[in-house]
Structures are given as C-alpha cells and as structure tokens.
Amino acid sequence: MNYNSTRDKNRVVSASQAIAQGISEEGGLFVPQELPQYSTEDIKAMLAEDYRGRAKKIMGDFLGDFTAEEISESVDAAYTAEKFGGENPAPISYIESGDKKMSLLELWHGPTCAFKDMALQILPHLLTKSVKKTYDGKQAVILVATSGDTGKAALEGFRDVDGTKIMVFYPVDGVSPMQKRQMATQKGENVSVVAIKGNFDDAQTGVKKIFTNNEIKEKLAANNMLFSSANSINWGRLLPQIVYYFSAYCDMVNEGKIALGDKINVCVPTGNFGNILASFYAMNMGLPVGKFICASNSNNVLTDFIRTGTYDKKRKFYTTISPSMDILVSSNLERLLYHLTGENAEKVAELMNALSTDGVYTVDADVKAKLDKYFWGGFCDDENTQKTIGKLYKEENYLADTHTAVAVNVYEQYVEQTGDKTPTVIASTASPYKFAKAVLMSVTDEALPEDEFSMVDELSAKTKTAVPAPLASLKDAKERFSFECEVDEMPQTVLDGLSIG
Ligand SMILES: *Cc1c(COP(=O)(O)O)cnc(C)c1O
C-alpha cells in the first residue's frame, strides 16, 4: 500500500515515508492509493476483537512497510487501560429520546482529556518507526500549530520520546485557561511551547511556511534533523481515527443497538476536518454509513461550503467557547476534494491555489452532487451551545463539553429538518472539565467563582461527576513555559529552540 500526494499524482511514497515526512514537498497531503475493503463478514470477525485487536487489523492493512510486530507493539503501547481509564479507550454513552438516537462516542478518556489522544498516543510510535525506516539516525523535529487540544496531546505523546523534539505554537488568546495551563506546565526534556500573537490560522500558516522553507530545512539537514508534523495533516494522525468508527459500530452491534449490516449516521464537531474525514474513509472501506453530519460553531465556513459548494475563508473570525473548532481553513478538506474529484490532483492543486491567493474557490457540479449525497452541514453559536449543554444535563443527566454540544445541537437540527431516525454516532470530543467555565455557566444560574480550578471543583460538586485525574493534578503543577512571539518571528524561534540559529 503506497501513498500519493493530493497535488501531484506522480509522487508515490511508502506509508513510513508519508508518516515521517508529514506533508508532501509541493504542499500536498498524502493519501492512500487504494483503501482496504471490508465485507460484512470482515466486520463480523471484528465483533469478537477488542479495541486493540480491531486497531491492529485496520492499521496493518494501511501500513504496507510495517511488520505485524511493529504494529502490534505500537497499538499495545498506545491504548493501555492505564492511559485510557479502561479496557475500551472509546466507550459509548447512549441517549435515546423520541426520534433521537444518539450514541455518544466518548473519545476523551485519554491522558489529555480530548479526542486528540486517540491519535497522538500512537503517532509517536508510528513516527519513530517510520523515521528509522526512511531516515535512519535522524532526529525528528515535530512542529505543531494548535487551537488547544492538539498541542497538549502531542506534547504528552512525544515527551521524552528518543530521537524527537517537539515545539508547539498556540494563539495567545485562542485557547481556554485549562488548555493554556495544560501546555504551560508540560513536562519533558524535549518539549517547548510558544504563544503567538495571532489566531490559529496564523499559527497553522506559520508552521506550514516553516516546513517548506528551504533555508531552514538545510540548516536542519546539516544538523542531522528533519521536520515532521503531528498536525492532522499527517496520515499517521488520520489513520488511528478510522479505527474508532469501526470499533463503535462493532460495539453497537455487540450491545444490541443495531444489527450487523444496519446503517448508521455519523455527526462530528468539526474544525480541521480530520475526525469527520476519518469516518468518510471508514465508509469507503465498507462501514455502512448513510450521512455525515458536519457540525460547526459560528466559524461556519464548512456549513456554507457543504450547502453551496463555495469555500470562502474571507469572513469574520469568531473566538468561541468551542475553541478547537475556531478554524477558517480546514486542512483535511483537501483530502476529501481529492477523493470527490476522482483523484484529480491538478484540480485539487488549482483549488488550493485559489484558496491561498483569492481566499475562495467553488467546486464543480459533479463534486457538489457528491457533497449533497454524503454530507449535511449545520452550525450552532455559543448561546445555543450553552442551551444544549443545559438541556442535555437537565433532561438526560449527560454532561457534555462545548464541542460535543455543538454536534448534539446540529444533530437535532438535522433530525428536525430531515426526519431521518437512523441511529447516529456523535463524536464526543472533550471532557466537560476542559471547558469548565462555559459548561458550568450552562448548568447553573449562580455566580461563578473567580479562578478556573474553583470552577472545576464547583462543576464537580454540582453535577456529582469526577474531575479527570490529569486535569485535577494541574492545579499544583509548576509552570515552565511563558514565551510569546509575533507571527513573523516563528521561523527564528524554531531555529533558536533547536540551537541551530
Ligand atoms: C480538534 C478538536 C475538534 C475538531 O476536530 P477536527 O479533526 O479538527 O475536525 C473538535 N473537538 C475537540 C474537543 C477537538 O479537540
């Protein structure tokens, strides 16, 4: 199984090269040349496996130049009961009322309490093995742009991993206090964290520019280093996310919620389009999915795109209570475009070029028809997000975080508008305690305490739910990183951080 670039079909790389490199040299993203196909019988065989067994099967079918032992080792090291608080790292909570059949797939039981752990606990294992295969002896320098959750999850995944260094950039005013605290207190000898004076798109664009800056790359090469990416553009991030959609389906069959072969819908709170794209890959491999419901917050560029076929990033940027979705350039959409255009790399290059020069592009009628067939887009602003959290808590005794609540709200809009009663997997992407202020405000009318940790304690007392241990321990953790820089200082900051200035 080899991989192509979305912008140049003549580039062909192995799985390990795709993962080690992160992004193709001309700026495209790596995509598998073909997808493994699973019949109902194959899915039936997965029913008897646990999460790790399913992960080994699926990831093994994509990672052509990895041995079975390497895959096994990686999966077993990543998804331990200790790290994920139980044997199943991605359990489901069911909420069924009236026409609504929600299976909340809780992807946040890992060490940083957001769904990014599902991929970032295994990526370091895949990446170090990939670098060994393709660039033996080199040190991998991981640069990350984060809207909050990726940064912490990547830091935690890569901390003190031999042969790697990791540097994380986050928008100074674009993450929650808890997210900031999580990153500022990060432990590890090979980590650094920088706040940039800009928004997430500035951070992401800045990192992309550094990746493709020849002068910097040469300096790295001279010092026996190479760049790699832990952002969701890396295939090694996307692949582990395919697993949990198959696993959720199997669990739903095993738990008697659906019969083998039944269709489900999938609803995902979306930012960079990685998580929802993983479910789209799962369908193209044989998972019976009817509709993909793409949920956005007020930064509803994807809602408009799905509804009109025009992607227009020239719009107001909102800082919301679901900051991990405050994104106007959804990088992984490029992969969807590649598949929906019939793998037309020239067309994708043209659209991406238009996006960076004009800030807008429109897909042709054929692609729009496919978007209509598979996707439904909706959005939910902060006020309705909080109402949804309050209602879910009051009526269903389920405490959702702000991102998950966006998805629940959009799912409800979908059911109202379409009448579609298909059981729906809703990606529950973060612990409510990561966004304690907004969640607490949604479930109480009382005055809020002053600081973040008092809010956490109050939320716990009020809802009688436990504070996840990794967040509770932050209260007394020592702050290590407080450095801030301008967007245009990012390249120099990287060189300084690596001491190769
Ligand atoms: C990253 C993130 C999202 C968005 O996921 P994408 O794969 O970028 O679409 C949603 N919710 C939470 C909590 C996140 O951390």
Side-chain angles (χ1 to χ4, degrees):
M1 157 92 65
N2 282 322
Y3 293 75
N4 284 126
S5 162
T6 48
R7 298 190 198 178
D8 182 357
K9 262 198 127 163
N10 295 321
R11 290 180 194 259
V12 180
V13 300
S14 65
S16 60
Q17 187 143 24
I19 293 171
Q21 227 174 291
I23 186 168
S24 186
E25 270 152 19
E26 85 298 353
L29 310 186
F30 292 118
V31 278
Q33 283 188 326
E34 73 246 82
L35 295 174
Q37 294 299 314
Y38 300 147
S39 64
T40 308
E41 280 306 302
D42 294 326
I43 297 176
K44 192 172 174 188
M46 283 185 211
L47 294 179
E49 301 277 351
D50 64 4
Y51 192 90
R52 289 184 287 270
R54 294 165 189 160
K56 286 172 197 174
K57 158 79 182 142
I58 295 167
M59 294 178 63
D61 289 340
F62 278 98
L63 299 174
D65 60 342
F66 279 61
T67 65
E69 290 73 50
E70 286 171 326
I71 291 164
S72 221
E73 232 175 72
S74 303
V75 168
D76 288 339
Y79 302 113
T80 62
E82 192 201 349
K83 283 181 176 161
F84 283 86
E87 278 307 320
N88 184 355
I92 301 175
S93 285
Y94 297 99
I95 297 180
E96 291 162 0
S97 67
D99 286 350
K100 292 165 197 154
K101 293 200 184 71
M102 301 187 252
S103 302
L104 288 145
L105 175 59
E106 294 179 354
L107 302 169
W108 43 265
H109 293 283
T112 75
C113 306
F115 94 94
K116 305 292 196 294
D117 288 328
M118 297 302 297
L120 281 162
Q121 279 300 311
I122 193 163
L123 180 70
H125 300 283
L126 302 178
L127 188 93
T128 46
K129 289 179 170 70
S130 295
V131 170
K132 214 168 163 100
K133 285 177 198 296
T134 47
Y135 305 96
D136 196 15
K138 294 229 183 207
Q139 185 174 46
V141 177
I142 318 294
L143 294 188
V144 180
T146 184
S147 55
D149 291 329
T150 297
K152 177 61 184 181
L155 288 162
E156 198 52 41
F158 279 96
R159 83 153 138 150
D160 295 328
V161 171
D162 280 347
T164 69
K165 270 195 195 292
I166 174 164
M167 188 175 268
V168 169
F169 294 93
Y170 71 88
V172 67
D173 296 319
V175 302
S176 81
M178 187 61 94
Q179 290 175 320
K180 196 174 230 172
R181 178 121 190 106
Q182 277 187 309
M183 289 189 277
T185 56
Q186 177 64 42
K187 295 191 180 114
E189 291 308 310
N190 63 338
V191 303
S192 52
V193 177
V194 178
I196 64 140
K197 294 173 191 159
N199 63 31
F200 170 69
D201 288 315
D202 297 325
Q204 177 157 267
T205 309
V207 163
K208 271 194 183 165
K209 276 192 189 147
I210 296 171
F211 271 128
T212 48
N213 179 322
N214 283 328
E215 203 183 318
I216 299 182
K217 279 203 300 204
E218 277 161 25
K219 282 193 179 158
L220 256 73
N223 288 279
N224 213 22
M225 298 173 176
L226 89 165
F227 276 137
S228 197
S229 155
N231 274 89
S232 64
I233 51 175
N234 191 317
W235 179 252
R237 274 282 300 277
L238 215 54
L239 174 58
Q241 301 187 352
I242 296 173
V243 174
Y244 52 69
Y245 289 104
F246 277 99
S247 190
Y249 188 88
C250 292
D251 289 347
M252 287 170 75
V253 173
N254 284 341
E255 287 159 22
K257 298 294 173 181
I258 53 172
L260 184 62
D262 282 358
K263 274 201 174 165
I264 56 168
N265 289 338
V266 171
C267 177
V268 183
T270 305
N272 233 343
F273 209 77
N275 200 359
I276 192 166
L277 183 70
S279 69
F280 185 73
Y281 276 118
M283 179 202 65
N284 285 288
M285 294 159 64
L287 192 73
V289 180
K291 238 357 178 224
F292 299 90
I293 302 161
C294 177
S296 300
N297 62 25
S298 292
N299 296 296
N300 57 358
V301 60
L302 286 167
T303 312
D304 289 346
F305 173 64
I306 289 166
R307 290 182 183 170
T308 67
T310 294
Y311 194 99
D312 188 351
K313 70 169 185 180
K314 296 172 295 159
R315 59 178 70 213
K316 187 168 156 27
F317 178 87
Y318 295 94
T319 298
T320 73
I321 56 172
S322 44
S324 299
M325 298 157 69
D326 290 347
I327 292 175
L328 293 181
V329 181
S330 294
S331 305
N332 266 300
L333 192 63
E334 178 166 348
R335 286 188 166 107
L336 180 72
L337 293 172
Y338 180 78
H339 297 294
L340 294 187
T341 55
E343 311 196 341
N344 186 339
E346 286 94 62
K347 186 76 204 172
V348 173
E350 194 184 295
L351 295 175
M352 291 303 110
N353 200 27
L355 183 64
S356 78
T357 52
D358 312 328
V360 56
Y361 64 80
T362 300
V363 296
D364 60 30
D366 173 52
V367 173
K368 176 69 173 72
K370 288 184 195 155
L371 273 179
D372 290 340
K373 178 169 174 209
Y374 297 117
F375 288 87
W376 195 88
F379 73 99
C380 171
D381 64 13
D382 279 357
E383 190 187 335
N384 283 304
T385 303
Q386 293 200 306
K387 278 190 190 150
T388 303
I389 295 171
K391 196 173 98 178
L392 266 178
Y393 178 65
K394 215 163 110 202
E395 293 174 7
E396 311 292 345
N397 198 28
Y398 188 82
L399 194 63
D401 96 292
T402 48
H403 304 76
T404 307
V406 166
V408 169
N409 182 286
V410 170
Y411 164 72
E412 289 176 342
Q413 294 178 39
Y414 171 79
V415 174
E416 252 140 60
Q417 289 183 29
T418 63
D420 183 355
K421 296 172 195 163
T422 307
T424 299
V425 169
I426 298 181
S428 176
T429 51
S431 158
Y433 285 95
K434 259 194 124 158
F435 305 94
K437 182 176 180 185
V439 173
L440 184 58
M441 277 168 71
S442 311
V443 297
T444 180
D445 296 328
E446 287 155 39
L448 297 187
E450 284 276 305
D451 73 290
E452 185 75 11
F453 285 97
S454 309
M455 290 186 228
V456 164
D457 291 341
E458 179 133 338
L459 185 60
S460 177
K462 160 118 190 123
T463 62
K464 299 185 180 57
T465 55
V467 185
L471 298 183
S473 69
L474 289 179
K475 197 168 171 176
D476 304 314
K478 183 166 161 272
E479 192 156 311
R480 296 182 64 206
F481 302 100
S482 57
F483 186 65
E484 294 181 7
C485 82
E486 301 289 342
V487 175
D488 61 9
E489 291 168 348
M490 287 171 64
Q492 193 56 45
T493 304
V494 169
L495 293 175
D496 292 346
L498 298 172
S499 315
I500 58 172

